[in-house]
Amino acid sequence: MDASDEAARGLTDIEGFLYWEAHRRTAHCRAAEFAARVAGLSETQRAEIEWWYVEEQICMCRKMTQHITDHITAVEKHHAKRYAQLRRGAYGAATLITAVMFGLCIAVLVGTAG
């Protein structure tokens, strides 16, 4: 792996970390806003609600990300398979056309020589 690949990988990792941190902070703010509106909660109860909500949001986000990853992987496999089929068909057609052209050239040469 050269330096540019390593740098690209590092940037991707940083981007992923910043995405998750932003999501976690947003979830925490939303949970805090929700808990603040519920009357009669102790600080411990508010903290538990906030913690539970943030953990639930992170879990759901991971599940969604995994689902998207699985879907993209399946689509990539499908397209790779389809591309291989098209490539084999193109190679077969090119081979057939080459053989026909070669046969025609031989026929023309034999016809003009005789």
Side-chain angles (χ1 to χ4, degrees), residues 51-109:
W51 178 85
W52 175 84
Y53 184 82
V54 170
E55 290 300 312
E56 189 66 25
Q57 287 296 303
I58 289 172
C59 181
M60 290 306 298
C61 194
R62 283 188 177 129
K63 287 179 182 179
M64 287 175 24
T65 302
Q66 187 61 48
H67 173 73
I68 291 168
T69 302
D70 293 345
H71 181 70
I72 289 171
T73 301
V75 169
E76 285 177 344
K77 285 181 183 178
H78 172 74
H79 286 294
K81 181 180 175 183
R82 181 70 180 132
Y83 178 72
Q85 290 171 341
L86 290 171
R87 190 176 58 236
R88 280 193 303 273
Y91 288 154
T95 302
L96 179 64
I97 290 170
T98 302
V100 168
M101 293 303 290
F102 186 71
L104 287 173
C105 289
I106 296 291
V108 167
L109 288 175

